[in-house]
Amino acid sequence: MAETTTVTTVWTTDQVMALAPDSSAQRAARGLAADRAWLETGLSAADDIDPTLWGLCQGSGSTPYQTAVDLTEPAFKCTCPSRKFPCKHALALLLRWSSGAVPEAVAPSWASAWQAARAARANRSVAGPASPVGEKPGGGSSGRAPVSEKAQARRADRIAAGLDELDRWLADQVRSGLAGSGKGGPAWDTMIARLVDAQAASAAGILRRTTAVLGSPERLLGELARLHLLVGGYRRLEELPEELAASVRMRVGVPIATETVLAGPAVRDRWQVHGVRDEIEDQLTVRRAWLRGAGSAAPLIVLSFAVAGQSLPIDLLPGTEFDADVCLYPGGQPARALIAKRHAPPERMHFVAGGAGVEDNLQAHAVALAADPWLDYWPMVLDGVSPVRDGGGWALVDAGGDGLPLDPAAGEPWRLVAVTAGRPATVTGEWSAGGLRPLGVWADERLVRL
């Protein structure tokens, strides 16, 4: 029998509930967690498989549901007919574990077989080809055949033609006056669609987001100038430093295969999850998960994408940290990462890495912006700040009197005010042109999700 090791309970009820697909699943899981329907539960910590929660839950039929949770990612399995993911049984099993009600026990054969099948799929993925392949939105491999050099050249020509058209369109907007451009309209939609057709999807996204500032001529001019700079950068790719050239390719939308990224050098640290934010972009849900190294304090972003009807990954829980190797995409600030290998299950954070005052956070943002002028979002960790009303809005102010405005689009920060109770605290957040959007606050030795 494999030697077993102790796995410490580290997830709070809030962290488990954050995995639920909706509020009804949360309610059902709470009711099921203490129910006598659980015939057997256990936590397998054998060396030959990842730490696995498992349980048998009696449903309406004669055969109990087999439920298992891999704590390392997490990943879920349940034989119930629910289409929700994770289902109430998986959530209830996690709640039982977080309360200390699940003993260590050897996994039954069905749970071991599930983990073995997952390990085999992972090994096949790692052993796959590292050649460029067609990609899903955001750089994930779609599994199609490798793209030939001729196909890559045709794509580059289409992108160049699309960006040339964008440059002429930008000149027309400035020549006709920003007052006219500020009205938006079909001309903007047509140009966005043209960039998508030219396979410059990321440039199309920048132009689409620019429509949010049509009412501000000053900000509109700045966004149009960034696009003009991007066109110029793409035309001079061969003359740019490699890191800057990689940023230009990424901001235009030139894909890079997942296999290529994973073939690069890995960076190991204990990565803290400081916050997660979802946005809808042209019928595509984009999730930004902000990580920071507990040892290095290096900021990273992990992007996930889902079209309508698809579920986003739920493996990065704010307030947890995990020991892992990550591989970095070339270019861009902060570095975009793929998690290559996890060395242990996630644990609760014991401190917040990378904290600094307002001035130091703005300086770090300025350095990143100089390296990547098309940077839209930047993670911040603000030490000793308090929420205060600033005229008609809100700001976070540190002990030195420096402050950052909060993004009005995030709404009133009453939860932050309630948690801090007027006392200075460490706040994690996402900085953009609209202001700071708080994502978490450190209170009572844990990161409270905002």
Side-chain angles (χ1 to χ4, degrees), residues 3-85:
E3 180 183 356
T4 58
T5 56
T6 300
V7 176
T8 305
T9 299
V10 294
W11 293 5
T12 65
T13 298
D14 287 344
Q15 288 167 341
V16 173
M17 290 293 95
L19 297 171
D22 52 39
S23 58
S24 63
Q26 290 180 339
R27 290 192 298 271
R30 290 181 186 275
L32 188 61
D35 197 284
R36 295 181 179 179
W38 290 98
L39 307 179
E40 189 178 3
T41 60
L43 168 62
S44 174
D47 290 341
D48 56 343
I49 64 172
D50 291 330
T52 304
L53 281 174
W54 56 270
L56 295 175
C57 186
Q58 186 64 59
S60 56
S62 58
T63 303
Y65 299 131
Q66 298 174 348
T67 306
V69 180
D70 181 333
L71 295 174
T72 304
E73 295 195 20
F76 309 92
K77 166 192 169 61
C78 190
T79 56
C80 75
S82 173
R83 294 185 178 182
K84 294 185 178 181
F85 185 81

Coordinates of all heavy atoms in Angstrom, one line a residue, residues 3-85:
E3 N 2.4 4.8 0.9 CA 2.4 5.6 2.1 C 1.5 6.8 2.0 O 1.4 7.5 1.0 CB 3.9 6.1 2.3 CG 4.1 6.9 3.6 CD 5.5 7.3 3.7 OE1 6.3 7.0 2.9 OE2 5.8 8.1 4.7
T4 N 0.8 7.1 3.1 CA -0.1 8.3 3.1 C 0.5 9.4 3.8 O 1.4 9.3 4.7 CB -1.4 7.9 3.7 OG1 -1.2 7.5 5.1 CG2 -2.1 6.8 3.0
T5 N 0.1 10.6 3.4 CA 0.6 11.9 4.0 C -0.6 12.7 4.4 O -1.7 12.6 3.9 CB 1.4 12.7 3.0 OG1 0.7 12.9 1.8 CG2 2.7 11.9 2.6
T6 N -0.4 13.5 5.4 CA -1.5 14.4 5.9 C -1.7 15.6 5.0 O -0.7 16.2 4.6 CB -1.1 14.8 7.4 OG1 -0.9 13.7 8.2 CG2 -2.2 15.7 7.9
V7 N -2.9 15.9 4.7 CA -3.3 17.0 3.9 C -4.1 18.0 4.9 O -5.1 17.6 5.4 CB -4.2 16.6 2.7 CG1 -4.6 17.9 2.0 CG2 -3.4 15.7 1.8
T8 N -3.6 19.2 5.0 CA -4.2 20.1 5.9 C -5.4 20.8 5.3 O -5.4 21.1 4.1 CB -3.2 21.3 6.3 OG1 -2.0 20.7 6.8 CG2 -3.8 22.2 7.3
T9 N -6.5 20.9 6.0 CA -7.7 21.6 5.6 C -7.4 23.1 5.5 O -7.0 23.7 6.4 CB -8.9 21.3 6.5 OG1 -9.2 20.0 6.6 CG2 -10.1 22.1 6.1
V10 N -7.6 23.6 4.3 CA -7.1 25.0 4.1 C -8.2 25.9 3.5 O -8.1 27.1 3.5 CB -5.9 25.1 3.2 CG1 -4.7 24.4 3.9 CG2 -6.1 24.4 1.8
W11 N -9.3 25.3 3.0 CA -10.3 26.1 2.3 C -11.4 26.5 3.3 O -11.9 25.8 4.1 CB -10.9 25.3 1.1 CG -10.0 25.1 0.0 CD1 -8.7 25.3 -0.1 CD2 -10.4 24.4 -1.2 NE1 -8.2 24.9 -1.2 CE2 -9.2 24.3 -2.0 CE3 -11.5 23.9 -1.7 CZ2 -9.1 23.7 -3.2 CZ3 -11.5 23.3 -3.0 CH2 -10.3 23.3 -3.7
T12 N -11.8 27.8 3.2 CA -12.8 28.3 4.0 C -14.2 28.0 3.3 O -14.2 27.7 2.1 CB -12.7 29.8 4.2 OG1 -12.8 30.5 2.9 CG2 -11.4 30.2 4.8
T13 N -15.3 28.2 4.0 CA -16.6 28.1 3.4 C -16.8 29.0 2.2 O -17.3 28.7 1.2 CB -17.7 28.3 4.4 OG1 -17.5 27.3 5.5 CG2 -19.1 28.2 3.8
D14 N -16.3 30.3 2.4 CA -16.4 31.2 1.3 C -15.7 30.8 0.1 O -16.2 31.0 -1.1 CB -15.9 32.6 1.8 CG -16.8 33.3 2.8 OD1 -18.0 32.9 2.9 OD2 -16.4 34.2 3.4
Q15 N -14.5 30.2 0.2 CA -13.8 29.8 -0.9 C -14.4 28.6 -1.6 O -14.4 28.5 -2.9 CB -12.3 29.4 -0.5 CG -11.5 30.6 -0.1 CD -10.2 30.2 0.6 OE1 -10.1 29.1 1.1 NE2 -9.3 31.1 0.6
V16 N -15.0 27.7 -0.9 CA -15.8 26.6 -1.5 C -17.0 27.2 -2.2 O -17.3 26.8 -3.4 CB -16.2 25.6 -0.4 CG1 -17.2 24.5 -1.1 CG2 -15.0 24.9 0.2
M17 N -17.7 28.1 -1.6 CA -18.9 28.6 -2.2 C -18.6 29.5 -3.5 O -19.4 29.6 -4.4 CB -19.7 29.5 -1.2 CG -20.3 28.8 -0.1 SD -21.7 27.7 -0.7 CE -20.9 26.1 -0.9
A18 N -17.4 30.0 -3.6 CA -17.0 30.7 -4.8 C -16.9 29.8 -6.0 O -16.9 30.3 -7.1 CB -15.6 31.4 -4.5
L19 N -16.8 28.5 -5.8 CA -16.8 27.6 -6.9 C -18.2 27.3 -7.5 O -18.3 26.8 -8.6 CB -16.2 26.2 -6.5 CG -14.7 26.2 -6.0 CD1 -14.4 24.9 -5.4 CD2 -13.8 26.6 -7.1
A20 N -19.2 27.6 -6.7 CA -20.6 27.3 -7.2 C -21.0 28.0 -8.4 O -20.7 29.2 -8.6 CB -21.6 27.6 -6.0
P21 N -21.7 27.4 -9.3 CA -22.1 28.0 -10.6 C -23.2 29.0 -10.4 O -23.4 30.0 -11.2 CB -22.6 26.9 -11.5 CG -23.0 25.8 -10.5 CD -22.0 25.9 -9.3
D22 N -24.0 28.9 -9.3 CA -25.1 29.9 -9.0 C -25.5 29.7 -7.6 O -25.0 28.9 -6.8 CB -26.3 29.7 -10.0 CG -26.8 28.2 -10.0 OD1 -26.8 27.6 -8.9 OD2 -27.1 27.8 -11.1
S23 N -26.4 30.6 -7.1 CA -26.8 30.7 -5.7 C -27.6 29.5 -5.4 O -27.6 29.0 -4.2 CB -27.6 32.0 -5.5 OG -28.8 32.0 -6.3
S24 N -28.4 28.9 -6.3 CA -29.2 27.7 -6.0 C -28.3 26.5 -5.7 O -28.6 25.7 -4.8 CB -30.2 27.4 -7.1 OG -29.5 27.0 -8.3
A25 N -27.2 26.4 -6.4 CA -26.2 25.3 -6.1 C -25.6 25.5 -4.7 O -25.3 24.6 -4.0 CB -25.1 25.3 -7.2
Q26 N -25.4 26.8 -4.3 CA -24.8 27.1 -3.0 C -25.8 26.6 -1.9 O -25.4 25.9 -1.0 CB -24.6 28.6 -2.9 CG -23.4 29.1 -3.7 CD -23.2 30.6 -3.5 OE1 -24.1 31.3 -3.0 NE2 -22.0 31.0 -3.8
R27 N -27.1 26.9 -2.1 CA -28.1 26.6 -1.1 C -28.2 25.0 -1.0 O -28.3 24.5 0.1 CB -29.4 27.2 -1.4 CG -29.5 28.7 -1.2 CD -30.9 29.2 -1.3 NE -31.5 28.9 -2.6 CZ -31.4 29.8 -3.6 NH1 -30.8 30.9 -3.5 NH2 -32.0 29.5 -4.8
A28 N -28.2 24.4 -2.2 CA -28.4 22.9 -2.2 C -27.2 22.2 -1.5 O -27.3 21.3 -0.8 CB -28.5 22.4 -3.6
A29 N -26.0 22.8 -1.8 CA -24.8 22.2 -1.2 C -24.7 22.3 0.3 O -24.4 21.4 1.0 CB -23.5 22.8 -1.8
R30 N -25.1 23.5 0.8 CA -25.2 23.7 2.3 C -26.1 22.7 2.9 O -25.8 22.1 4.0 CB -25.6 25.1 2.6 CG -24.6 26.2 2.2 CD -25.1 27.6 2.6 NE -24.2 28.6 2.2 CZ -23.1 29.1 2.9 NH1 -22.8 28.5 4.0 NH2 -22.4 30.0 2.4
G31 N -27.3 22.5 2.3 CA -28.2 21.5 2.9 C -27.8 20.1 2.8 O -28.1 19.3 3.7
L32 N -27.0 19.8 1.8 CA -26.5 18.4 1.6 C -25.2 18.1 2.4 O -25.0 16.9 2.7 CB -26.2 18.2 0.1 CG -25.9 16.7 -0.4 CD1 -27.1 15.8 0.0 CD2 -25.6 16.7 -1.9
A33 N -24.5 19.1 2.8 CA -23.2 18.9 3.4 C -23.3 18.1 4.7 O -22.5 17.2 5.0 CB -22.5 20.2 3.7
A34 N -24.4 18.4 5.5 CA -24.5 17.7 6.8 C -25.6 16.6 6.7 O -26.0 16.0 7.8 CB -24.9 18.7 7.9
D35 N -26.0 16.2 5.5 CA -27.1 15.3 5.3 C -26.6 13.8 5.6 O -25.4 13.5 5.3 CB -27.7 15.4 3.9 CG -29.0 14.7 3.8 OD1 -29.1 13.5 3.7 OD2 -30.0 15.5 3.8
R36 N -27.5 13.0 6.0 CA -27.1 11.6 6.3 C -27.1 10.8 5.0 O -26.8 9.6 5.0 CB -28.2 10.9 7.2 CG -28.1 11.5 8.6 CD -29.2 10.8 9.5 NE -29.1 11.4 10.8 CZ -29.9 11.0 11.8 NH1 -30.8 10.0 11.6 NH2 -29.9 11.5 13.0
A37 N -27.3 11.5 3.8 CA -27.3 10.8 2.6 C -25.9 10.3 2.2 O -25.7 9.4 1.4 CB -27.8 11.7 1.5
W38 N -24.9 10.9 2.9 CA -23.5 10.5 2.6 C -23.2 9.2 3.3 O -23.1 9.1 4.5 CB -22.5 11.5 3.1 CG -22.5 12.8 2.3 CD1 -23.2 13.9 2.6 CD2 -21.9 13.0 1.0 NE1 -23.1 14.9 1.6 CE2 -22.3 14.3 0.6 CE3 -21.1 12.2 0.2 CZ2 -21.8 14.8 -0.6 CZ3 -20.7 12.7 -1.0 CH2 -21.0 14.0 -1.4
L39 N -23.0 8.1 2.5 CA -22.8 6.8 3.0 C -21.4 6.6 3.4 O -21.1 5.8 4.4 CB -23.2 5.7 2.0 CG -24.6 5.9 1.4 CD1 -24.9 4.8 0.3 CD2 -25.7 5.8 2.5
E40 N -20.5 7.2 2.7 CA -19.0 7.1 3.0 C -18.3 8.2 2.4 O -18.6 8.7 1.3 CB -18.6 5.7 2.3 CG -17.2 5.3 2.7 CD -16.8 4.0 2.1 OE1 -17.6 3.4 1.4 OE2 -15.6 3.5 2.4
T41 N -17.3 8.8 3.1 CA -16.4 9.8 2.5 C -15.0 9.5 2.9 O -14.8 8.8 3.9 CB -16.9 11.2 3.0 OG1 -16.8 11.2 4.5 CG2 -18.3 11.6 2.6
G42 N -14.1 10.1 2.2 CA -12.7 10.0 2.6 C -11.8 10.9 1.8 O -12.2 11.5 0.8
L43 N -10.6 11.1 2.3 CA -9.5 11.9 1.7 C -8.3 11.0 1.5 O -7.7 10.5 2.4 CB -9.1 13.1 2.6 CG -7.9 13.8 2.1 CD1 -8.1 14.4 0.8 CD2 -7.5 14.9 3.2
S44 N -8.0 10.7 0.2 CA -6.9 9.9 -0.1 C -5.7 10.8 -0.4 O -5.7 11.7 -1.3 CB -7.2 9.1 -1.4 OG -6.0 8.4 -1.8
A45 N -4.6 10.6 0.4 CA -3.4 11.4 0.2 C -2.2 10.5 -0.2 O -1.1 10.7 0.2 CB -3.1 12.2 1.5
A46 N -2.5 9.4 -0.9 CA -1.4 8.5 -1.3 C -0.4 9.1 -2.2 O -0.8 10.0 -3.0 CB -2.0 7.2 -1.9
D47 N 0.8 8.7 -2.2 CA 1.9 9.3 -3.0 C 1.7 9.1 -4.5 O 2.2 9.8 -5.3 CB 3.2 8.7 -2.6 CG 3.7 9.2 -1.2 OD1 3.1 10.2 -0.8 OD2 4.6 8.6 -0.6
D48 N 0.9 8.0 -4.9 CA 0.8 7.7 -6.3 C -0.3 8.5 -7.0 O -0.4 8.4 -8.2 CB 0.6 6.2 -6.5 CG -0.6 5.7 -5.7 OD1 -1.1 6.4 -4.8 OD2 -1.1 4.6 -6.1
I49 N -1.2 9.2 -6.3 CA -2.2 10.0 -6.9 C -2.3 11.4 -6.2 O -1.8 11.5 -5.1 CB -3.6 9.4 -6.9 CG1 -4.1 9.2 -5.4 CG2 -3.6 8.1 -7.6 CD1 -5.5 8.7 -5.3
D50 N -2.8 12.4 -6.9 CA -3.0 13.7 -6.2 C -4.0 13.6 -5.1 O -4.9 12.7 -5.1 CB -3.5 14.7 -7.3 CG -2.4 15.1 -8.3 OD1 -1.2 15.0 -7.9 OD2 -2.8 15.4 -9.4
P51 N -3.9 14.5 -4.1 CA -4.9 14.4 -3.0 C -6.3 14.5 -3.5 O -6.7 15.4 -4.3 CB -4.6 15.7 -2.2 CG -3.1 15.9 -2.5 CD -2.9 15.5 -3.9
T52 N -7.1 13.5 -3.1 CA -8.5 13.3 -3.7 C -9.5 13.1 -2.6 O -9.4 12.3 -1.8 CB -8.5 12.1 -4.6 OG1 -7.5 12.2 -5.6 CG2 -9.8 12.0 -5.3
L53 N -10.5 14.0 -2.6 CA -11.7 13.8 -1.8 C -12.7 12.9 -2.6 O -12.8 13.0 -3.8 CB -12.4 15.1 -1.6 CG -11.9 16.1 -0.5 CD1 -12.7 17.4 -0.6 CD2 -12.0 15.4 0.9
W54 N -13.3 11.9 -1.9 CA -14.3 11.1 -2.5 C -15.4 10.8 -1.6 O -15.3 10.8 -0.4 CB -13.6 9.8 -3.0 CG -12.9 9.0 -1.9 CD1 -11.6 9.1 -1.5 CD2 -13.5 8.0 -1.0 NE1 -11.3 8.3 -0.5 CE2 -12.4 7.6 -0.2 CE3 -14.7 7.5 -0.9 CZ2 -12.7 6.6 0.8 CZ3 -14.9 6.5 0.0 CH2 -13.9 6.1 0.9
G55 N -16.5 10.4 -2.2 CA -17.7 10.1 -1.3 C -18.8 9.4 -2.1 O -18.9 9.5 -3.3
L56 N -19.6 8.7 -1.4 CA -20.8 8.0 -2.0 C -22.0 8.7 -1.3 O -22.2 8.7 -0.1 CB -20.8 6.5 -1.7 CG -19.7 5.7 -2.3 CD1 -19.7 4.3 -1.8 CD2 -19.8 5.8 -3.8
C57 N -22.9 9.3 -2.2 CA -24.0 10.0 -1.7 C -25.3 9.4 -2.3 O -25.4 9.2 -3.5 CB -24.0 11.5 -2.1 SG -25.3 12.5 -1.4
Q58 N -26.2 9.0 -1.4 CA -27.4 8.3 -1.8 C -28.4 9.3 -2.4 O -28.8 10.3 -1.7 CB -28.1 7.6 -0.6 CG -29.3 6.8 -1.0 CD -28.9 5.6 -1.9 OE1 -28.1 4.8 -1.5 NE2 -29.5 5.6 -3.1
G59 N -28.8 9.1 -3.6 CA -29.7 10.0 -4.3 C -31.1 9.3 -4.3 O -31.4 8.5 -3.4
S60 N -31.9 9.7 -5.3 CA -33.3 9.1 -5.3 C -33.3 7.7 -5.9 O -34.3 7.0 -5.7 CB -34.1 10.0 -6.2 OG -33.6 10.1 -7.5
G61 N -32.2 7.3 -6.5 CA -32.2 5.9 -7.1 C -31.5 4.9 -6.1 O -31.2 5.3 -5.0
S62 N -31.4 3.7 -6.6 CA -30.8 2.7 -5.7 C -29.3 2.7 -5.6 O -28.7 2.3 -4.6 CB -31.3 1.3 -6.2 OG -30.8 1.1 -7.5
T63 N -28.7 3.3 -6.6 CA -27.2 3.3 -6.7 C -26.7 4.7 -6.2 O -27.2 5.7 -6.8 CB -26.7 3.1 -8.1 OG1 -27.2 1.8 -8.6 CG2 -25.2 3.1 -8.1
P64 N -25.9 4.8 -5.2 CA -25.4 6.1 -4.7 C -24.5 6.8 -5.8 O -23.9 6.1 -6.6 CB -24.6 5.7 -3.5 CG -24.2 4.3 -3.7 CD -25.3 3.7 -4.4
Y65 N -24.5 8.1 -5.7 CA -23.7 8.9 -6.7 C -22.2 8.8 -6.2 O -21.9 8.9 -5.0 CB -24.1 10.3 -6.7 CG -25.5 10.5 -7.2 CD1 -26.4 11.3 -6.5 CD2 -26.0 9.9 -8.4 CE1 -27.7 11.5 -7.0 CE2 -27.3 10.1 -8.8 CZ -28.1 10.9 -8.1 OH -29.4 11.0 -8.6
Q66 N -21.3 8.6 -7.2 CA -19.9 8.6 -6.9 C -19.4 10.0 -7.2 O -19.4 10.5 -8.3 CB -19.2 7.6 -7.8 CG -19.6 6.1 -7.6 CD -19.0 5.2 -8.6 OE1 -18.4 5.6 -9.6 NE2 -19.1 3.9 -8.3
T67 N -18.8 10.6 -6.1 CA -18.4 12.0 -6.2 C -16.9 12.1 -5.8 O -16.5 11.5 -4.8 CB -19.2 12.9 -5.3 OG1 -20.6 12.8 -5.6 CG2 -18.8 14.4 -5.5
A68 N -16.1 12.8 -6.6 CA -14.7 12.9 -6.3 C -14.2 14.3 -6.7 O -14.7 14.9 -7.6 CB -13.9 11.8 -7.1
V69 N -13.2 14.8 -5.9 CA -12.6 16.1 -6.2 C -11.1 16.0 -6.1 O -10.6 15.5 -5.0 CB -13.1 17.2 -5.1 CG1 -12.5 18.5 -5.4 CG2 -14.7 17.3 -5.2
D70 N -10.4 16.4 -7.1 CA -9.0 16.5 -7.1 C -8.7 17.8 -6.5 O -9.0 18.9 -7.1 CB -8.4 16.3 -8.5 CG -6.9 16.4 -8.5 OD1 -6.3 17.1 -7.6 OD2 -6.3 15.9 -9.5
L71 N -8.0 17.9 -5.3 CA -7.8 19.1 -4.6 C -6.6 19.9 -5.2 O -6.5 21.1 -4.9 CB -7.5 18.8 -3.1 CG -8.6 18.2 -2.3 CD1 -8.1 17.9 -0.9 CD2 -9.8 19.2 -2.3
T72 N -5.9 19.3 -6.1 CA -4.7 20.0 -6.6 C -5.1 21.1 -7.6 O -4.6 22.2 -7.6 CB -3.7 19.1 -7.3 OG1 -3.4 18.1 -6.4 CG2 -2.5 19.8 -7.8
E73 N -6.2 20.8 -8.5 CA -6.5 21.8 -9.5 C -7.5 22.9 -9.1 O -7.2 24.1 -9.3 CB -6.9 21.1 -10.8 CG -5.8 20.3 -11.3 CD -6.1 19.8 -12.8 OE1 -6.9 20.4 -13.4 OE2 -5.4 18.9 -13.2
P74 N -8.7 22.7 -8.6 CA -9.4 21.4 -8.4 C -10.1 20.9 -9.7 O -10.3 21.6 -10.6 CB -10.4 21.7 -7.3 CG -10.8 23.2 -7.7 CD -9.5 23.8 -8.1
A75 N -10.4 19.6 -9.7 CA -11.2 19.0 -10.8 C -12.2 18.1 -10.1 O -12.1 17.7 -8.9 CB -10.3 18.1 -11.6
F76 N -13.3 17.9 -10.8 CA -14.5 17.3 -10.2 C -15.0 16.1 -11.1 O -14.9 16.1 -12.3 CB -15.6 18.3 -10.1 CG -15.2 19.6 -9.4 CD1 -14.7 20.6 -10.2 CD2 -15.2 19.7 -8.0 CE1 -14.3 21.8 -9.6 CE2 -14.8 20.9 -7.4 CZ -14.3 21.9 -8.2
K77 N -15.6 15.1 -10.3 CA -16.3 14.0 -11.0 C -17.6 13.7 -10.2 O -17.5 13.6 -8.9 CB -15.4 12.8 -11.1 CG -16.2 11.5 -11.4 CD -15.3 10.2 -11.2 CE -16.1 9.0 -11.3 NZ -16.8 8.8 -12.6
C78 N -18.7 13.4 -10.8 CA -19.9 13.0 -10.1 C -20.8 12.2 -11.1 O -20.9 12.7 -12.3 CB -20.6 14.2 -9.5 SG -22.0 13.6 -8.4
T79 N -21.4 11.2 -10.7 CA -22.2 10.4 -11.6 C -23.7 10.8 -11.5 O -24.5 10.2 -12.1 CB -22.1 8.9 -11.2 OG1 -22.5 8.7 -9.8 CG2 -20.7 8.3 -11.4
C80 N -24.0 11.9 -10.8 CA -25.3 12.5 -10.8 C -25.7 13.1 -12.2 O -24.8 13.4 -13.0 CB -25.5 13.5 -9.7 SG -24.7 15.1 -10.1
P81 N -26.9 13.2 -12.5 CA -27.3 13.7 -13.8 C -27.3 15.3 -14.0 O -27.6 15.8 -15.0 CB -28.8 13.2 -14.0 CG -29.3 13.2 -12.6 CD -28.1 12.8 -11.7
S82 N -26.9 16.0 -12.9 CA -26.9 17.4 -13.0 C -26.0 18.0 -14.1 O -24.9 17.4 -14.3 CB -26.4 18.0 -11.6 OG -26.3 19.4 -11.7
R83 N -26.4 19.0 -14.7 CA -25.6 19.7 -15.7 C -24.8 20.9 -15.1 O -24.1 21.5 -15.9 CB -26.5 20.2 -16.8 CG -27.2 19.1 -17.6 CD -27.9 19.6 -18.8 NE -28.5 18.6 -19.6 CZ -29.3 18.8 -20.7 NH1 -29.5 20.0 -21.2 NH2 -29.8 17.8 -21.4
K84 N -25.0 21.1 -13.9 CA -24.2 22.2 -13.2 C -22.8 21.7 -12.9 O -22.6 20.5 -12.6 CB -24.9 22.7 -12.0 CG -26.2 23.4 -12.3 CD -26.8 23.9 -11.0 CE -28.1 24.7 -11.3 NZ -28.7 25.3 -10.1
F85 N -21.8 22.6 -13.0 CA -20.4 22.2 -12.8 C -19.7 23.2 -11.9 O -19.6 24.4 -12.4 CB -19.7 22.0 -14.1 CG -18.3 21.5 -14.0 CD1 -18.1 20.1 -13.8 CD2 -17.3 22.3 -14.0 CE1 -16.8 19.6 -13.7 CE2 -16.0 21.8 -13.9 CZ -15.8 20.5 -13.7

